[in-house]
């Protein structure tokens, strides 16, 4: 009897694990919400609900990071996906989600580019599932042309990187309290948690603004492997303008090396 109790004591219980969730609301106009948002993590060994996300103060303000914690009775394993649910008609646009646990320092990164959230189907979707792409880090460097009117204030681009082992897509390349895409300037963005596509062959830039933008180059650089880090530069040789307004340009641009 004593040996059974000892076995239960040593092997029959699991240690509680604290999980963390960081959520960035988009920089787009009206991206914030005052409504109810809930979250759930999906892991390789189980799932974990954070319930309704509510900190003291104002959550989900445009361009703001919010952090939440909850405790699980045990590890849910490798964090694969996050599911966000909106119980509000006040539309919300999440930009980025980062998740990790106290027993695993590796963070999982999730990016949203186009999905507004709302319980009103006319305003967005009520549930959004974002899944981890990988563990690769890429730096994206964009140079705006020196041509007249080449810059843009409201373009919200993302970049899909295609290589010999598939494709991976960044989040929105737009920074808080920063004037992106000024005429003649180069802007840098780093994205973690991307898929390793191996040898990079093409990039596709997609925009989400009616303003027009003219870029000259897109450079993709591997980050973290300084010994064998690779960098590929793509050139907009035909000077193709980008805009969701078809009279100003195209909504996407594919460039290959």
């Amino acid at each position: 009897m004593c040996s059974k109790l000892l076995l239960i004591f040593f092997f029959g219980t699991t240690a509680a694990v604290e999980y963390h969730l960081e959520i960035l609301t988009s920089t787009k106009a009206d991206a914030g919400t005052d409504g109810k948002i809930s979250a759930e993590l999906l892991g390789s060994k189980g799932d974990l609900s954070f319930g309704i996300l509510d900190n003291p103060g104002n959550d989900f303000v445009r361009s703001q990071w919010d952090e939440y914690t909850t405790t699980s009775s045990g590890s849910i394993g490798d964090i694969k996906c996050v599911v966000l649910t909106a119980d509000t008609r006040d539309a919300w646009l999440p930009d980025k989600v980062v998740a990790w646990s106290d027993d695993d320092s590796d963070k999982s990164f999730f990016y949203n580019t186009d999905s507004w959230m709302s319980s009103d189907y006319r305003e967005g979707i009520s549930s959004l599932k974002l899944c981890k792409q990988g563990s690769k880090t890429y730096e994206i460097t964009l140079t705006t042309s020196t041509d007249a009117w080449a810059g843009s204030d409201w373009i919200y681009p993302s970049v899909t990187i295609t290589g010999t082992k598939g494709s991976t897509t960044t989040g929105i390349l737009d920074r808080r309290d920063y004037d992106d895409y000024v005429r003649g300037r180069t802007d840098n963005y780093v994205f973690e948690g991307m898929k390793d596509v191996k040898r990079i062959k093409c990039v596709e830039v997609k925009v989400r603004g009616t303003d027009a933008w003219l870029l000259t180059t897109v450079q993709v650089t591997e980050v973290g492997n300084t010994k064998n880090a690779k960098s590929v530069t793509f050139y907009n040789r035909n000077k193709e303008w980008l805009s969701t307004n078809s009279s100003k340009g195209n909504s996407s641009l594919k460039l290959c090396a």
Side-chain angles (χ1 to χ4, degrees):
M1 182 66 180
C2 289
S3 61
K4 288 183 179 180
L5 289 174
L6 286 172
L7 286 171
I8 292 172
F9 179 77
F10 285 110
F11 302 107
T13 61
T14 55
V17 180
E18 189 168 67
Y19 282 82
H20 305 265
L21 198 64
E22 287 184 337
I23 300 176
L24 175 64
T25 296
S26 171
T27 60
K28 275 190 175 183
D30 302 317
T33 184
D34 290 321
K36 291 181 180 179
I37 304 296
S38 59
E40 181 181 21
L41 293 180
L42 309 182
S44 59
K45 296 180 180 179
D47 306 333
L48 176 64
S49 174
F50 274 71
I52 295 174
L53 305 174
D54 187 23
N55 283 329
N58 201 2
D59 302 88
F60 311 120
V61 173
R62 175 177 174 264
S63 303
Q64 175 178 288
W65 279 100
D66 295 290
E67 183 176 348
Y68 306 91
T69 60
T70 194
T71 302
S72 173
S73 58
S75 172
I76 64 170
D78 184 26
I79 300 171
K80 299 289 188 181
C81 303
V82 60
V83 179
L84 301 172
T85 303
D87 184 15
T88 176
R89 298 180 67 182
D90 183 15
W92 175 53
L93 183 60
D95 180 272
K96 178 180 178 180
V97 180
V98 184
W100 73 97
S101 69
D102 283 354
D103 71 343
D104 187 353
S105 60
D106 289 337
K107 294 183 177 182
S108 297
F109 296 86
F110 310 96
Y111 301 101
N112 178 45
T113 54
D114 298 294
S115 297
W116 285 82
M117 299 194 67
S118 173
S119 57
D120 184 343
Y121 72 92
R122 295 166 297 183
E123 299 290 334
I125 56 176
S126 60
S127 181
L128 174 63
K129 183 178 181 181
L130 302 171
C131 292
K132 184 168 66 174
Q133 299 182 70
S135 57
K136 188 76 171 180
T137 300
Y138 290 110
E139 180 180 20
I140 312 295
T141 303
L142 303 172
T143 301
T144 299
S145 172
T146 58
D147 286 13
W149 312 110
S152 175
D153 290 322
W154 314 103
I155 203 67
Y156 305 108
S158 64
V159 176
T160 296
I161 306 163
T162 300
T164 54
K165 292 294 183 180
S167 298
T168 190
T169 301
T170 69
I172 300 297
L173 285 76
D174 189 75
R175 280 175 287 191
R176 174 183 178 180
D177 300 327
Y178 178 78
D179 193 8
D180 306 86
Y181 314 119
V182 172
R183 174 174 169 260
R185 195 169 71 188
T186 295
D187 297 295
N188 299 291
Y189 306 86
V190 174
F191 287 89
E192 302 174 83
M194 308 291 286
K195 179 180 178 180
D196 186 354
V197 301
K198 300 301 181 184
R199 186 169 67 85
I200 300 169
K201 300 170 66 177
C202 300
V203 293
E204 184 171 9
V205 182
K206 181 181 178 182
V207 299
R208 296 159 184 83
T210 56
D211 198 11
W213 176 44
L214 180 61
L215 62 84
T216 58
T217 60
V218 180
Q219 184 181 58
V220 182
T221 304
E222 296 179 355
V223 177
N225 184 359
T226 55
K227 184 179 180 180
N228 298 307
K230 298 179 180 65
S231 181
V232 184
T233 302
F234 302 88
Y235 299 88
N236 183 12
R237 302 185 190 280
N238 295 329
K239 289 192 172 183
E240 296 184 40
W241 287 76
L242 285 162
S243 176
T244 56
N245 184 333
S246 59
S247 66
K248 297 179 180 179
N250 299 314
S251 61
S252 65
L253 172 64
K254 186 174 183 178
L255 303 171
C256 293

